[in-house]
mmCIF file of all heavy atoms in Angstrom:
data_model
loop_
_atom_site.group_PDB
_atom_site.id
_atom_site.type_symbol
_atom_site.label_atom_id
_atom_site.label_comp_id
_atom_site.label_asym_id
_atom_site.label_seq_id
_atom_site.Cartn_x
_atom_site.Cartn_y
_atom_site.Cartn_z
ATOM 1 N N SER A 10 91.214 84.093 115.318
ATOM 2 C CA SER A 10 89.793 84.056 115.201
ATOM 3 C C SER A 10 89.103 84.448 116.567
ATOM 4 O O SER A 10 88.027 85.111 116.494
ATOM 5 C CB SER A 10 89.278 82.706 114.753
ATOM 6 O OG SER A 10 89.448 81.702 115.743
ATOM 7 N N ILE A 11 89.671 84.039 117.639
ATOM 8 C CA ILE A 11 89.135 84.377 118.949
ATOM 9 C C ILE A 11 89.267 85.902 119.179
ATOM 10 O O ILE A 11 88.301 86.574 119.643
ATOM 11 C CB ILE A 11 89.811 83.609 120.112
ATOM 12 C CG1 ILE A 11 89.448 82.165 120.049
ATOM 13 C CG2 ILE A 11 89.517 84.227 121.480
ATOM 14 C CD1 ILE A 11 90.234 81.284 120.957
ATOM 15 N N ILE A 12 90.413 86.514 118.860
ATOM 16 C CA ILE A 12 90.594 87.867 119.004
ATOM 17 C C ILE A 12 89.651 88.708 118.062
ATOM 18 O O ILE A 12 89.088 89.730 118.498
ATOM 19 C CB ILE A 12 92.089 88.307 118.784
ATOM 20 C CG1 ILE A 12 92.914 87.694 119.928
ATOM 21 C CG2 ILE A 12 92.271 89.836 118.706
ATOM 22 C CD1 ILE A 12 94.412 87.870 119.721
ATOM 23 N N LYS A 13 89.444 88.235 116.882
ATOM 24 C CA LYS A 13 88.529 88.879 115.994
ATOM 25 C C LYS A 13 87.149 88.870 116.558
ATOM 26 O O LYS A 13 86.376 89.892 116.524
ATOM 27 C CB LYS A 13 88.453 88.104 114.606
ATOM 28 C CG LYS A 13 89.677 88.429 113.709
ATOM 29 C CD LYS A 13 89.481 87.623 112.411
ATOM 30 C CE LYS A 13 90.617 87.893 111.409
ATOM 31 N NZ LYS A 13 90.402 87.169 110.161
ATOM 32 N N ALA A 14 86.708 87.688 117.133
ATOM 33 C CA ALA A 14 85.404 87.639 117.763
ATOM 34 C C ALA A 14 85.290 88.586 118.972
ATOM 35 O O ALA A 14 84.256 89.222 119.205
ATOM 36 C CB ALA A 14 85.112 86.225 118.217
ATOM 37 N N MET A 15 86.392 88.695 119.728
ATOM 38 C CA MET A 15 86.434 89.587 120.857
ATOM 39 C C MET A 15 86.250 91.035 120.492
ATOM 40 O O MET A 15 85.528 91.823 121.128
ATOM 41 C CB MET A 15 87.812 89.408 121.556
ATOM 42 C CG MET A 15 87.914 89.937 122.967
ATOM 43 S SD MET A 15 89.491 89.491 123.648
ATOM 44 C CE MET A 15 89.421 87.728 123.716
ATOM 45 N N LEU A 16 86.920 91.417 119.341
ATOM 46 C CA LEU A 16 86.778 92.751 118.820
ATOM 47 C C LEU A 16 85.342 93.085 118.385
ATOM 48 O O LEU A 16 84.923 94.272 118.279
ATOM 49 C CB LEU A 16 87.763 92.965 117.684
ATOM 50 C CG LEU A 16 89.248 92.954 118.096
ATOM 51 C CD1 LEU A 16 90.135 92.953 116.845
ATOM 52 C CD2 LEU A 16 89.612 94.170 118.976
ATOM 53 N N LYS A 17 84.582 92.013 117.924
ATOM 54 C CA LYS A 17 83.269 92.202 117.449
ATOM 55 C C LYS A 17 82.198 91.941 118.566
ATOM 56 O O LYS A 17 81.004 91.824 118.246
ATOM 57 C CB LYS A 17 83.017 91.210 116.312
ATOM 58 C CG LYS A 17 83.922 91.462 115.088
ATOM 59 C CD LYS A 17 83.600 92.750 114.415
ATOM 60 C CE LYS A 17 84.413 92.965 113.136
ATOM 61 N NZ LYS A 17 84.098 94.223 112.486
ATOM 62 N N ALA A 18 82.624 91.868 119.790
ATOM 63 C CA ALA A 18 81.673 91.674 120.907
ATOM 64 C C ALA A 18 80.695 92.782 120.947
ATOM 65 O O ALA A 18 81.028 93.992 120.829
ATOM 66 C CB ALA A 18 82.362 91.575 122.267
ATOM 67 N N PRO A 19 79.338 92.440 121.001
ATOM 68 C CA PRO A 19 78.288 93.488 121.033
ATOM 69 C C PRO A 19 78.520 94.417 122.269
ATOM 70 O O PRO A 19 78.807 93.949 123.302
ATOM 71 C CB PRO A 19 76.976 92.717 121.130
ATOM 72 C CG PRO A 19 77.326 91.286 120.758
ATOM 73 C CD PRO A 19 78.752 91.073 121.096
ATOM 74 N N ILE A 20 78.251 95.728 122.015
ATOM 75 C CA ILE A 20 78.348 96.718 123.112
ATOM 76 C C ILE A 20 76.960 97.103 123.520
ATOM 77 O O ILE A 20 76.128 97.411 122.655
ATOM 78 C CB ILE A 20 79.198 97.936 122.676
ATOM 79 C CG1 ILE A 20 80.620 97.474 122.253
ATOM 80 C CG2 ILE A 20 79.206 99.008 123.758
ATOM 81 C CD1 ILE A 20 81.466 98.620 121.786
ATOM 82 N N GLN A 21 76.719 97.112 124.756
ATOM 83 C CA GLN A 21 75.400 97.371 125.282
ATOM 84 C C GLN A 21 74.866 98.692 124.784
ATOM 85 O O GLN A 21 75.458 99.772 124.942
ATOM 86 C CB GLN A 21 75.489 97.438 126.905
ATOM 87 C CG GLN A 21 74.151 97.564 127.581
ATOM 88 C CD GLN A 21 74.384 97.605 129.113
ATOM 89 O OE1 GLN A 21 75.270 98.232 129.604
ATOM 90 N NE2 GLN A 21 73.602 96.815 129.810
ATOM 91 N N GLY A 22 73.701 98.653 124.133
ATOM 92 C CA GLY A 22 73.056 99.827 123.624
ATOM 93 C C GLY A 22 73.599 100.406 122.325
ATOM 94 O O GLY A 22 73.131 101.352 121.818
ATOM 95 N N GLU A 23 74.661 99.732 121.800
ATOM 96 C CA GLU A 23 75.303 100.269 120.549
ATOM 97 C C GLU A 23 75.396 99.237 119.455
ATOM 98 O O GLU A 23 75.522 99.591 118.298
ATOM 99 C CB GLU A 23 76.695 100.763 120.888
ATOM 100 C CG GLU A 23 76.716 101.896 121.893
ATOM 101 C CD GLU A 23 78.143 102.375 122.272
ATOM 102 O OE1 GLU A 23 79.037 102.040 121.492
ATOM 103 O OE2 GLU A 23 78.257 103.059 123.248
ATOM 104 N N GLY A 24 75.361 97.953 119.770
ATOM 105 C CA GLY A 24 75.505 96.909 118.766
ATOM 106 C C GLY A 24 76.863 96.443 118.509
ATOM 107 O O GLY A 24 77.735 96.606 119.392
ATOM 108 N N ILE A 25 77.147 95.904 117.370
ATOM 109 C CA ILE A 25 78.399 95.273 117.048
ATOM 110 C C ILE A 25 79.374 96.302 116.437
ATOM 111 O O ILE A 25 78.993 96.953 115.423
ATOM 112 C CB ILE A 25 78.264 94.082 116.098
ATOM 113 C CG1 ILE A 25 77.395 92.994 116.773
ATOM 114 C CG2 ILE A 25 79.611 93.521 115.665
ATOM 115 C CD1 ILE A 25 77.036 91.846 115.801
ATOM 116 N N PRO A 26 80.472 96.539 117.026
ATOM 117 C CA PRO A 26 81.432 97.530 116.504
ATOM 118 C C PRO A 26 82.183 97.014 115.227
ATOM 119 O O PRO A 26 82.400 95.790 115.032
ATOM 120 C CB PRO A 26 82.385 97.772 117.624
ATOM 121 C CG PRO A 26 82.443 96.485 118.360
ATOM 122 C CD PRO A 26 81.080 95.886 118.189
ATOM 123 N N ASN A 27 82.537 97.951 114.332
ATOM 124 C CA ASN A 27 83.296 97.612 113.135
ATOM 125 C C ASN A 27 84.713 98.086 113.216
ATOM 126 O O ASN A 27 85.497 97.890 112.353
ATOM 127 C CB ASN A 27 82.602 98.054 111.856
ATOM 128 C CG ASN A 27 82.376 99.577 111.891
ATOM 129 O OD1 ASN A 27 83.010 100.284 112.618
ATOM 130 N ND2 ASN A 27 81.485 100.003 111.018
ATOM 131 N N LYS A 28 85.051 98.706 114.329
ATOM 132 C CA LYS A 28 86.439 99.173 114.572
ATOM 133 C C LYS A 28 86.591 99.431 116.071
ATOM 134 O O LYS A 28 85.621 99.435 116.874
ATOM 135 C CB LYS A 28 86.716 100.482 113.819
ATOM 136 C CG LYS A 28 85.782 101.683 114.162
ATOM 137 C CD LYS A 28 86.080 102.865 113.384
ATOM 138 C CE LYS A 28 85.163 104.003 113.727
ATOM 139 N NZ LYS A 28 85.428 105.235 113.012
ATOM 140 N N GLY A 29 87.861 99.586 116.494
ATOM 141 C CA GLY A 29 88.161 99.906 117.866
ATOM 142 C C GLY A 29 88.407 98.725 118.780
ATOM 143 O O GLY A 29 88.035 97.582 118.463
ATOM 144 N N THR A 30 89.090 99.005 119.903
ATOM 145 C CA THR A 30 89.288 98.025 120.981
ATOM 146 C C THR A 30 88.757 98.705 122.209
ATOM 147 O O THR A 30 89.318 99.718 122.652
ATOM 148 C CB THR A 30 90.805 97.665 121.201
ATOM 149 O OG1 THR A 30 91.527 98.880 121.461
ATOM 150 C CG2 THR A 30 91.332 97.043 119.928
ATOM 151 N N PRO A 31 87.727 98.149 122.841
ATOM 152 C CA PRO A 31 87.033 98.929 123.947
ATOM 153 C C PRO A 31 87.915 99.218 125.136
ATOM 154 O O PRO A 31 88.619 98.339 125.620
ATOM 155 C CB PRO A 31 85.960 97.882 124.346
ATOM 156 C CG PRO A 31 85.762 96.958 123.177
ATOM 157 C CD PRO A 31 87.117 96.882 122.493
ATOM 158 N N GLN A 32 87.987 100.482 125.533
ATOM 159 C CA GLN A 32 88.681 100.842 126.723
ATOM 160 C C GLN A 32 88.024 100.176 127.918
ATOM 161 O O GLN A 32 86.794 100.277 128.050
ATOM 162 C CB GLN A 32 88.695 102.344 126.903
ATOM 163 C CG GLN A 32 89.481 103.089 125.852
ATOM 164 C CD GLN A 32 89.571 104.567 126.203
ATOM 165 O OE1 GLN A 32 90.151 104.974 127.214
ATOM 166 N NE2 GLN A 32 89.016 105.411 125.345
ATOM 167 N N GLY A 33 88.757 99.524 128.758
ATOM 168 C CA GLY A 33 88.183 98.767 129.842
ATOM 169 C C GLY A 33 88.462 97.271 129.704
ATOM 170 O O GLY A 33 88.411 96.531 130.649
ATOM 171 N N GLY A 34 88.723 96.856 128.449
ATOM 172 C CA GLY A 34 89.088 95.488 128.161
ATOM 173 C C GLY A 34 90.532 95.186 128.574
ATOM 174 O O GLY A 34 91.425 95.979 128.320
ATOM 175 N N ILE A 35 90.752 94.071 129.193
ATOM 176 C CA ILE A 35 92.092 93.710 129.705
ATOM 177 C C ILE A 35 93.125 93.555 128.532
ATOM 178 O O ILE A 35 94.296 93.971 128.713
ATOM 179 C CB ILE A 35 92.040 92.370 130.481
ATOM 180 C CG1 ILE A 35 91.297 92.617 131.816
ATOM 181 C CG2 ILE A 35 93.430 91.833 130.717
ATOM 182 C CD1 ILE A 35 91.106 91.363 132.626
ATOM 183 N N LEU A 36 92.629 93.105 127.406
ATOM 184 C CA LEU A 36 93.571 92.897 126.275
ATOM 185 C C LEU A 36 93.776 94.153 125.430
ATOM 186 O O LEU A 36 94.763 94.202 124.703
ATOM 187 C CB LEU A 36 93.034 91.800 125.391
ATOM 188 C CG LEU A 36 93.938 91.165 124.374
ATOM 189 C CD1 LEU A 36 95.173 90.586 125.071
ATOM 190 C CD2 LEU A 36 93.238 90.066 123.552
ATOM 191 N N SER A 37 92.920 95.158 125.604
ATOM 192 C CA SER A 37 93.009 96.345 124.710
ATOM 193 C C SER A 37 94.282 97.143 124.777
ATOM 194 O O SER A 37 94.798 97.513 123.733
ATOM 195 C CB SER A 37 91.786 97.284 125.118
ATOM 196 O OG SER A 37 90.545 96.690 124.703
ATOM 197 N N PRO A 38 94.913 97.346 125.932
ATOM 198 C CA PRO A 38 96.173 98.089 125.955
ATOM 199 C C PRO A 38 97.244 97.381 125.198
ATOM 200 O O PRO A 38 98.063 98.049 124.469
ATOM 201 C CB PRO A 38 96.507 98.154 127.464
ATOM 202 C CG PRO A 38 95.206 98.079 128.169
ATOM 203 C CD PRO A 38 94.414 97.087 127.334
ATOM 204 N N LEU A 39 97.335 96.062 125.291
ATOM 205 C CA LEU A 39 98.397 95.306 124.535
ATOM 206 C C LEU A 39 98.049 95.386 122.990
ATOM 207 O O LEU A 39 98.963 95.620 122.211
ATOM 208 C CB LEU A 39 98.379 93.864 124.958
ATOM 209 C CG LEU A 39 99.394 92.930 124.207
ATOM 210 C CD1 LEU A 39 100.794 93.476 124.348
ATOM 211 C CD2 LEU A 39 99.304 91.538 124.695
ATOM 212 N N LEU A 40 96.779 95.306 122.649
ATOM 213 C CA LEU A 40 96.449 95.374 121.213
ATOM 214 C C LEU A 40 96.747 96.780 120.715
ATOM 215 O O LEU A 40 97.207 96.904 119.537
ATOM 216 C CB LEU A 40 94.958 95.081 121.052
ATOM 217 C CG LEU A 40 94.509 93.574 121.360
ATOM 218 C CD1 LEU A 40 92.990 93.481 121.121
ATOM 219 C CD2 LEU A 40 95.278 92.580 120.579
ATOM 220 N N SER A 41 96.539 97.789 121.498
ATOM 221 C CA SER A 41 96.831 99.149 121.068
ATOM 222 C C SER A 41 98.357 99.344 120.892
ATOM 223 O O SER A 41 98.791 100.046 119.920
ATOM 224 C CB SER A 41 96.339 100.150 122.116
ATOM 225 O OG SER A 41 97.106 100.136 123.226
ATOM 226 N N ASN A 42 99.150 98.740 121.750
ATOM 227 C CA ASN A 42 100.612 98.836 121.545
ATOM 228 C C ASN A 42 101.067 98.071 120.288
ATOM 229 O O ASN A 42 102.050 98.489 119.656
ATOM 230 C CB ASN A 42 101.347 98.285 122.778
ATOM 231 C CG ASN A 42 101.450 99.304 123.878
ATOM 232 O OD1 ASN A 42 101.320 100.465 123.642
ATOM 233 N ND2 ASN A 42 101.652 98.800 125.074
ATOM 234 N N ILE A 43 100.394 96.995 119.931
ATOM 235 C CA ILE A 43 100.722 96.312 118.705
ATOM 236 C C ILE A 43 100.470 97.197 117.540
ATOM 237 O O ILE A 43 101.278 97.299 116.573
ATOM 238 C CB ILE A 43 99.889 94.975 118.613
ATOM 239 C CG1 ILE A 43 100.314 93.992 119.611
ATOM 240 C CG2 ILE A 43 99.995 94.381 117.186
ATOM 241 C CD1 ILE A 43 99.413 92.731 119.741
ATOM 242 N N VAL A 44 99.351 97.967 117.527
ATOM 243 C CA VAL A 44 99.001 98.852 116.459
ATOM 244 C C VAL A 44 100.073 99.959 116.364
ATOM 245 O O VAL A 44 100.446 100.396 115.262
ATOM 246 C CB VAL A 44 97.581 99.444 116.666
ATOM 247 C CG1 VAL A 44 97.361 100.554 115.619
ATOM 248 C CG2 VAL A 44 96.572 98.365 116.570
ATOM 249 N N LEU A 45 100.498 100.506 117.497
ATOM 250 C CA LEU A 45 101.457 101.640 117.499
ATOM 251 C C LEU A 45 102.865 101.236 117.356
ATOM 252 O O LEU A 45 103.708 102.148 117.232
ATOM 253 C CB LEU A 45 101.261 102.393 118.880
ATOM 254 C CG LEU A 45 99.938 103.116 119.051
ATOM 255 C CD1 LEU A 45 99.866 103.714 120.486
ATOM 256 C CD2 LEU A 45 99.804 104.259 118.025
ATOM 257 N N ASN A 46 103.179 99.946 117.372
ATOM 258 C CA ASN A 46 104.600 99.519 117.282
ATOM 259 C C ASN A 46 105.266 100.014 116.026
ATOM 260 O O ASN A 46 106.380 100.439 116.104
ATOM 261 C CB ASN A 46 104.616 98.006 117.407
ATOM 262 C CG ASN A 46 106.016 97.451 117.530
ATOM 263 O OD1 ASN A 46 106.837 97.954 118.359
ATOM 264 N ND2 ASN A 46 106.356 96.478 116.746
ATOM 265 N N GLU A 47 104.583 99.886 114.858
ATOM 266 C CA GLU A 47 105.239 100.326 113.611
ATOM 267 C C GLU A 47 105.525 101.875 113.710
ATOM 268 O O GLU A 47 106.580 102.291 113.219
ATOM 269 C CB GLU A 47 104.267 100.082 112.487
ATOM 270 C CG GLU A 47 104.235 98.612 112.082
ATOM 271 C CD GLU A 47 103.344 98.392 110.848
ATOM 272 O OE1 GLU A 47 102.916 99.391 110.212
ATOM 273 O OE2 GLU A 47 103.089 97.232 110.522
ATOM 274 N N LEU A 48 104.602 102.631 114.268
ATOM 275 C CA LEU A 48 104.786 104.101 114.438
ATOM 276 C C LEU A 48 106.025 104.334 115.343
ATOM 277 O O LEU A 48 106.850 105.220 115.040
ATOM 278 C CB LEU A 48 103.621 104.736 115.017
ATOM 279 C CG LEU A 48 103.684 106.269 115.287
ATOM 280 C CD1 LEU A 48 103.954 107.026 114.010
ATOM 281 C CD2 LEU A 48 102.410 106.748 115.967
ATOM 282 N N ASP A 49 106.162 103.605 116.403
ATOM 283 C CA ASP A 49 107.304 103.765 117.379
ATOM 284 C C ASP A 49 108.668 103.605 116.599
ATOM 285 O O ASP A 49 109.553 104.388 116.715
ATOM 286 C CB ASP A 49 107.230 102.756 118.478
ATOM 287 C CG ASP A 49 106.071 103.112 119.455
ATOM 288 O OD1 ASP A 49 105.673 104.284 119.509
ATOM 289 O OD2 ASP A 49 105.629 102.209 120.132
ATOM 290 N N TRP A 50 108.739 102.483 115.862
ATOM 291 C CA TRP A 50 109.970 102.185 115.117
ATOM 292 C C TRP A 50 110.230 103.157 114.019
ATOM 293 O O TRP A 50 111.370 103.488 113.715
ATOM 294 C CB TRP A 50 109.921 100.778 114.639
ATOM 295 C CG TRP A 50 110.154 99.786 115.684
ATOM 296 C CD1 TRP A 50 109.219 98.941 116.263
ATOM 297 C CD2 TRP A 50 111.407 99.421 116.342
ATOM 298 N NE1 TRP A 50 109.802 98.138 117.265
ATOM 299 C CE2 TRP A 50 111.157 98.410 117.267
ATOM 300 C CE3 TRP A 50 112.674 99.896 116.164
ATOM 301 C CZ2 TRP A 50 112.186 97.891 118.070
ATOM 302 C CZ3 TRP A 50 113.710 99.346 116.903
ATOM 303 C CH2 TRP A 50 113.453 98.367 117.857
ATOM 304 N N TRP A 51 109.150 103.677 113.336
ATOM 305 C CA TRP A 51 109.348 104.664 112.266
ATOM 306 C C TRP A 51 109.921 105.973 112.864
ATOM 307 O O TRP A 51 110.791 106.541 112.297
ATOM 308 C CB TRP A 51 107.988 104.903 111.595
ATOM 309 C CG TRP A 51 108.182 105.954 110.464
ATOM 310 C CD1 TRP A 51 108.677 105.729 109.251
ATOM 311 C CD2 TRP A 51 107.863 107.337 110.573
ATOM 312 N NE1 TRP A 51 108.739 106.946 108.501
ATOM 313 C CE2 TRP A 51 108.196 107.938 109.359
ATOM 314 C CE3 TRP A 51 107.336 108.153 111.586
ATOM 315 C CZ2 TRP A 51 108.025 109.279 109.026
ATOM 316 C CZ3 TRP A 51 107.151 109.496 111.328
ATOM 317 C CH2 TRP A 51 107.491 110.036 110.089
ATOM 318 N N ILE A 52 109.262 106.453 113.914
ATOM 319 C CA ILE A 52 109.746 107.656 114.538
ATOM 320 C C ILE A 52 111.180 107.505 114.981
ATOM 321 O O ILE A 52 112.040 108.391 114.798
ATOM 322 C CB ILE A 52 108.864 107.966 115.797
ATOM 323 C CG1 ILE A 52 107.478 108.496 115.315
ATOM 324 C CG2 ILE A 52 109.503 109.116 116.627
ATOM 325 C CD1 ILE A 52 106.530 108.707 116.441
ATOM 326 N N SER A 53 111.511 106.341 115.526
ATOM 327 C CA SER A 53 112.915 106.074 115.951
ATOM 328 C C SER A 53 113.873 106.119 114.743
ATOM 329 O O SER A 53 114.986 106.654 114.849
ATOM 330 C CB SER A 53 112.983 104.710 116.602
ATOM 331 O OG SER A 53 114.306 104.374 116.978
#
């Protein structure tokens, strides 16, 4: 629930996002690797 709230954090001048993990966030690279993990194993 905390990570969901983090993903919905308002972006200055843009409002609340409905998708994406903001580049610049410390947790974003790890979250992106979680998303790509299935693709990595499929390609393998």
Side-chain angles (χ1 to χ4, degrees):
S10 69
I11 289 172
I12 292 175
K13 283 182 178 179
M15 196 176 294
L16 292 170
K17 297 292 185 183
I20 299 176
Q21 188 180 43
E23 298 178 17
I25 298 174
N27 57 19
K28 60 181 179 179
T30 58
Q32 294 187 63
I35 289 174
L36 195 57
S37 292
L39 178 59
L40 296 179
S41 71
N42 277 340
I43 291 174
V44 173
L45 291 173
N46 188 47
E47 287 183 8
L48 177 62
D49 289 338
W50 284 103
W51 179 80
I52 290 175
S53 177

